[in-house]
């Protein structure tokens, strides 16, 4: 048996009290993602560089990637290349590292698994979707041994991928058949793992799902498994799992305060709402009884910042333009890529030149406008609510126009706009005459 080189002395962030197994958990990379048409390739390359450095620093026994490797089912070649380049570099630098990858809801399970014949012998196990045989799921195929520094299979990982409703066993008598189906799959797979592992072996599991008691990001995480109401309770995971490594939520977090059940989060912000917290990968040390003796984030630097104006909600154009003028000028910007800029303007009248005005204001600044949103000052209520008991037939076209304007902008139309409306109305009425 070959022994890997002795580990370096523990560093401040890498204390270990003779842990059995060190696991590095990362998730939701979304390679190939674009931010409103701007590719994120440079940010992903920077993350993968950082990850290789963290691997060298932490020297984990296993690397778990818990789904959404790619942003789409048919990722661009640059994203596929980044994936394989990373796997090759990780394998070359860490010949004994066990690498386990599961499919997420964004991944094409088949595409992820397609290179399995090459990756398997390299110690890279990819489970894109629930393996199936003629008699149903092949849960034994989910099991991946994780080896400690001596090459001993110290833990057994139930590499459960993202589950589609069709993957779940039918449990028609259950209050919630989807939740019960997931619970049964985890229970059965963990029972098989328990049997295969023998007494005293540590069991861990993965998943790509939404577990209740967590904070969901607003924009970029699709509600999966039948929607938000199908959040899974944390007790779908059997008690004897030493740790459950989850993907899907982009904010790193424990589930309901249980340190066993953890989301690694995404390495870069995938929407404006995800820019407010630090991104990270997660390192977990387990002892030989399956206790988590240390769990800590390794924070990632952010190559490209995300700026929102205003920080929350919307602001009138004057205030937005004033805030834009405060941004550093383009000429003075230091080398790196300019931050993404998301702007939300509050309008109290139509402004056909809004985009041009904002784009011109941004042109001289070190920022890239990725989204220009518009909020309206009006309340958007149905016209009937404003017209009281009157029916539409009782109103003149001009009264309807005024009501519409009020609904959208909470102001009366400007005199020029009203004049234009009257001219248009006169034309239409003239044409309508027999
Ligand atoms: Mn995701």
């Amino acid at each position: 048996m070959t022994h890997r080189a002795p580990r370096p002395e523990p560093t401040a962030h890498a204390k270990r009290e003779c842990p059995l197994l060190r696991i590095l958990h990362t998730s939701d990379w979304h390679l190939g993602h674009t931010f409103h048409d701007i590719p994120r390739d440079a940010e992903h390359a920077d993350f993968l560089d950082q990850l290789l450095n963290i691997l060298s620093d932490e020297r984990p026994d296993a690397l778990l990637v818990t789904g959404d490797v790619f942003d789409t089912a048919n990722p661009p070649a640059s994203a596929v290349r980044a994936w394989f380049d990373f796997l090759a570099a990780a394998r070359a630098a860490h010949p004994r590292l066990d690498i386990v990858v599961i499919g997420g809801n964004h991944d094409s399970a088949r595409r992820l698994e397609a290179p399995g014949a090459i990756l398997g012998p390299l110690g890279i196990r990819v489970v894109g979707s629930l393996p199936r045989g003629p008699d149903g799921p092949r849960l034994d195929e989910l099991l991946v041994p994780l080896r400690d520094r001596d090459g001993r299979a110290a833990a057994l990982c139930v590499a459960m991928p993202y589950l589609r409703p069709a993957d779940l066993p039918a449990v028609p008598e259950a209050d919630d058949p989807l939740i019960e189906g997931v619970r049964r799959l985890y229970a059965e797979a963990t029972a098989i793992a328990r049997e295969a592992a023998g007494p005293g072996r540590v069991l861990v599991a993965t998943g790509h799902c939404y577990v209740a008691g967590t904070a969901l990001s607003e924009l970029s995480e699709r509600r999966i498994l039948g929607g938000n109401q199908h959040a899974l309770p944390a007790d779908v995971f059997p008690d004897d799992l030493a740790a459950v490594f989850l993907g899907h939520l982009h904010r790193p977090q424990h589930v309901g305060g249980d340190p066993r059940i953890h989301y690694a989060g995404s390495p870069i912000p995938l929407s404006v709402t995800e820019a407010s917290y630090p991104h990270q990968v997660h390192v977990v040390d387990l002892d030989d009884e399956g206790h988590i003796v240390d769990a800590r984030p390794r924070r990632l630097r952010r190559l490209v910042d995300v700026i929102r104006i205003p920080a929350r909600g919307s602001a009138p154009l004057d205030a937005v333009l004033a805030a834009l003028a405060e941004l550093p000028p383009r000429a003075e910007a230091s080398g790196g890529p300019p931050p993404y800029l998301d702007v939300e303007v509050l309008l109290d009248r139509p402004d056909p030149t809004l985009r041009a005005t904002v784009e011109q204001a941004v042109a001289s600044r070190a920022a890239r406008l990725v989204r220009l949103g518009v909020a309206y000052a009006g309340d958007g209520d149905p016209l009937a609510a404003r017209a009281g008991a009157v029916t539409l037939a009782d109103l003149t076209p001009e009264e309807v126009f005024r009501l519409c304007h009020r609904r959208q902008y909470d102001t009366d139309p400007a005199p020029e706009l009203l004049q234009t409306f009257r001219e248009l109305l006169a034309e239409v009425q003239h044409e309508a005459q027999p």
Side-chain angles (χ1 to χ4, degrees), residues 27-30 67-68 105-106 208 220-222 247-250 266 270:
S27 195
D28 294 85
W29 295 1
H30 289 262
D68 288 359
N105 56 307
H106 280 251
H208 190 95
S220 70
E221 295 148 359
R222 294 179 200 159
H248 186 53
L249 298 189
H250 293 172
S266 57
L270 295 158

Side-chain angles (χ1 to χ4, degrees), residues 361-412:
V362 174
S364 59
R365 305 285 121 191
R368 283 178 288 183
L369 184 66
V370 292
R371 194 185 73 92
L372 172 59
V374 174
Y376 297 105
D379 56 21
D381 277 352
L383 287 187
R386 303 180 162 269
V390 209
T391 67
L392 204 55
D394 295 329
L395 298 170
T396 66
E398 187 174 314
E399 282 166 330
V400 173
F401 179 65
R402 283 173 181 276
L403 285 169
C404 283
H405 197 281
R406 219 155 233 297
R407 170 178 67 179
Q408 182 102 318
Y409 303 105
D410 202 26
T411 55
D412 285 321

Side-chain angles (χ1 to χ4, degrees), residues 51-113:
L51 183 55
L52 287 170
N53 285 334
I54 294 170
L55 285 172
S56 297
D57 190 28
E58 297 281 357
R59 302 178 65 81
D61 302 291
L63 171 69
L64 306 185
V65 185
T66 52
D68 288 359
V69 172
F70 297 108
D71 189 54
T72 58
N74 196 1
S78 60
V80 178
R81 177 167 192 147
W83 172 234
F84 288 122
D85 282 355
F86 168 79
L87 290 176
R91 175 48 72 238
H94 307 283
R96 301 292 303 275
L97 177 72
D98 288 317
I99 301 178
V100 182
V101 182
I102 61 163
N105 56 307
H106 280 251
D107 297 304
S108 157
R110 288 184 180 200
R111 204 170 282 270
L112 205 59
E113 285 176 350

Side-chain angles (χ1 to χ4, degrees), residues 216-428:
L216 195 71
S217 148
E218 287 168 45
L219 297 177
S220 70
E221 295 148 359
R222 294 179 200 159
R223 310 294 194 265
I224 50 177
L225 202 66
N228 208 10
Q229 69 275 24
H230 274 108
L232 301 169
D235 65 7
V236 296
F237 306 113
D239 280 341
D240 59 342
L241 291 172
V244 182
F245 300 93
L246 294 177
H248 186 53
L249 298 189
H250 293 172
R251 183 194 281 268
Q253 57 196 300
H254 295 303
V255 171
D258 185 344
R260 284 188 317 132
I261 309 175
H262 193 268
Y263 285 94
S266 57
I268 60 172
L270 295 158
S271 75
V272 174
T273 55
E274 295 175 23
S276 60
Y277 52 84
H279 292 73
Q280 61 185 51
V281 297
H282 200 65
V283 182
V284 174
D285 288 343
L286 294 166
D287 72 9
D288 57 5
E289 290 174 347
H291 299 119
I292 296 174
V293 291
D294 195 21
R296 59 192 179 279
R298 289 295 306 263
R299 292 274 158 82
L300 301 166
R301 71 171 169 261
R302 191 178 291 175
L303 186 69
V304 183
D305 210 354
V306 182
I307 300 173
R308 190 170 193 288
I309 293 179
R312 236 168 275 106
S314 57
L317 183 57
D318 287 354
V320 165
L321 293 176
L324 290 175
E326 303 270 298
L327 294 175
R330 186 171 293 269
E332 284 174 27
S334 56
Y340 300 118
L341 178 65
D342 181 283
V343 172
E344 184 95 4
V345 181
L346 181 68
L347 285 187
D348 61 1
R349 72 182 79 90
D351 185 351
T353 61
L354 178 69
R355 174 160 284 279
T357 307
V358 171
E359 280 178 353
Q360 198 191 350
V362 174
S364 59
R365 305 285 121 191
R368 283 178 288 183
L369 184 66
V370 292
R371 194 185 73 92
L372 172 59
V374 174
Y376 297 105
D379 56 21
D381 277 352
L383 287 187
R386 303 180 162 269
V390 209
T391 67
L392 204 55
D394 295 329
L395 298 170
T396 66
E398 187 174 314
E399 282 166 330
V400 173
F401 179 65
R402 283 173 181 276
L403 285 169
C404 283
H405 197 281
R406 219 155 233 297
R407 170 178 67 179
Q408 182 102 318
Y409 303 105
D410 202 26
T411 55
D412 285 321
E416 315 84 68
L417 188 61
L418 205 52
Q419 189 51 41
T420 310
F421 174 79
R422 285 173 186 152
E423 285 167 20
L424 202 57
L425 182 65
E427 254 179 62
V428 170

